[in-house]
Amino acid sequence: MKTTDVPRYTPDWLELREGADAAARSPELLEALGPQLSGPPLVIHDLGCGTGSMGRWLAPRLSGPQLWILHDRDPDLLDRAAVRMPRAATDGSRITVATARGDLSRLTASTLDGASLVTASALLDVLTPEEVGGIAAACAEAECPALLALSVVGRVELTPADPMDAEITEAFNAHQRRGGLVGPDAMAVASEAFARHGATVRTHASPWVLGAERSALTAEWLRGWVGAAVEHRPELGARAEAYLRRRLAMAAAGALRVVVHHHDLLALPAPRTLGAAA
């Protein structure tokens, strides 16, 4: 399955989740990344950029002039992302933006020539193992680090609990693996792929914590989560519909807490040997 076959994400959904994404991303991995960045200027490739939330989070946290190259297959999302990118780094240095429309399965080291960093958010779990391996190989050959945020890991905690929680989770996770996608196995697949190329890999938890203050996101997430589970297991049918009604009512009343577990990944390329540098 190619990335061109992955369902589109609506701008409304991407906008709704942006605050939770920003709160979840790992500052610890960003701190570890800092000394590894080469520049100026920093040249950053944002893969599957969507509306540009990763750039809006990361660019103001970096110093020095930056060139962001935004990659997505959706021209409307690319336009939105480019317009809304920050224009100044944390020290006031200029940020410039370019866009690249295309299929990430065709990403190569030549695409990343001169890159200081490859980044992505909520991308790995909707790729195949081959596509994840292609990103790892391209980063290794281009000798640039990768900061890949917010991959689902297949664990959800809902409080208070419901007897159907585990059944819906299992069906959703199976749906995420449809067509050979890595789904909740993204961290294991990506960690292995980067390590195979000699990279040093670190991961860090980056959960969404959804309570009363994010009730709109909780409701939309519930609809998508249960809907995907039913798509995979239609026999859940009426029971899942009743479950969703119960959970939505609790979310609207501010009585539901949801933790959606994700992990961020930082891959630092293997140091060049004297022979390779010669």
Side-chain angles (χ1 to χ4, degrees), residues 12-74:
D12 288 346
W13 166 247
L14 296 175
E15 297 283 354
L16 187 60
R17 64 175 288 170
E18 183 166 347
D21 286 351
R25 292 189 185 100
S26 167
E28 293 86 355
L29 294 187
L30 179 56
E31 183 177 354
L33 168 66
Q36 307 297 322
L37 293 174
S38 60
L42 295 178
V43 179
I44 301 170
H45 290 257
D46 187 10
L47 308 182
C49 67
T51 59
S53 66
M54 187 66 172
R56 287 190 291 277
W57 179 82
L58 181 56
R61 288 170 166 80
L62 300 175
S63 299
Q66 302 169 38
L67 167 61
W68 279 73
I69 303 172
L70 308 178
H71 298 255
D72 207 285
R73 61 189 179 83
D74 186 325

Side-chain angles (χ1 to χ4, degrees), residues 191-207:
S191 296
E192 181 180 344
F194 278 97
R196 205 163 46 237
H197 291 281
T200 299
V201 177
R202 291 181 55 178
T203 64
H204 200 280
S206 53

Side-chain angles (χ1 to χ4, degrees), residues 42-269:
L42 295 178
V43 179
I44 301 170
H45 290 257
D46 187 10
L47 308 182
C49 67
T51 59
S53 66
M54 187 66 172
R56 287 190 291 277
W57 179 82
L58 181 56
R61 288 170 166 80
L62 300 175
S63 299
Q66 302 169 38
L67 167 61
W68 279 73
I69 303 172
L70 308 178
H71 298 255
D72 207 285
R73 61 189 179 83
D74 186 325
D76 294 332
L77 291 179
L78 277 176
D79 289 345
R80 287 172 181 260
V83 167
R84 296 182 58 197
M85 275 292 293
R87 300 302 170 182
T90 187
D91 60 354
S93 297
R94 185 182 180 194
I95 295 173
T96 55
V97 180
T99 60
R101 184 185 177 194
D103 182 353
L104 294 181
S105 67
R106 293 193 289 269
L107 186 73
T108 66
S110 62
T111 309
L112 303 179
D113 185 37
S116 307
L117 175 66
V118 167
T119 190
S121 186
L123 175 68
L124 290 181
D125 43 63
V126 297
L127 301 180
T128 65
E130 294 76 18
E131 289 167 340
V132 174
I135 292 173
C139 289
E141 190 175 343
E143 299 181 326
C144 67
L147 179 63
L148 308 171
L150 293 168
S151 295
V152 296
V153 295
R155 290 195 299 120
V156 176
E157 299 170 31
L158 298 98
T159 307
D162 185 283
M164 278 199 76
D165 290 348
E167 194 172 9
I168 297 293
T169 299
E170 182 180 355
F172 175 82
N173 288 344
H175 181 271
Q176 291 296 93
R177 296 183 175 103
R178 69 198 183 280
L181 302 181
V182 295
D185 306 315
M187 279 295 94
V189 172
S191 296
E192 181 180 344
F194 278 97
R196 205 163 46 237
H197 291 281
T200 299
V201 177
R202 291 181 55 178
T203 64
H204 200 280
S206 53
W208 277 358
V209 180
L210 309 180
E213 73 286 356
R214 298 195 190 277
S215 59
L217 175 59
T218 304
E220 195 62 25
W221 173 83
L222 278 166
R223 294 185 184 99
W225 186 60
V226 175
V230 172
E231 184 177 319
H232 183 73
R233 286 187 56 196
E235 69 273 15
L236 290 173
R239 289 195 302 125
E241 185 177 341
Y243 171 87
L244 179 59
R245 284 198 302 269
R246 292 195 301 273
R247 288 315 207 179
L248 287 173
M250 294 178 72
L256 181 66
R257 181 178 186 270
V258 180
V259 179
V260 183
H261 289 276
H262 307 89
H263 273 74
D264 293 359
L265 179 148
L266 173 64
L268 302 177

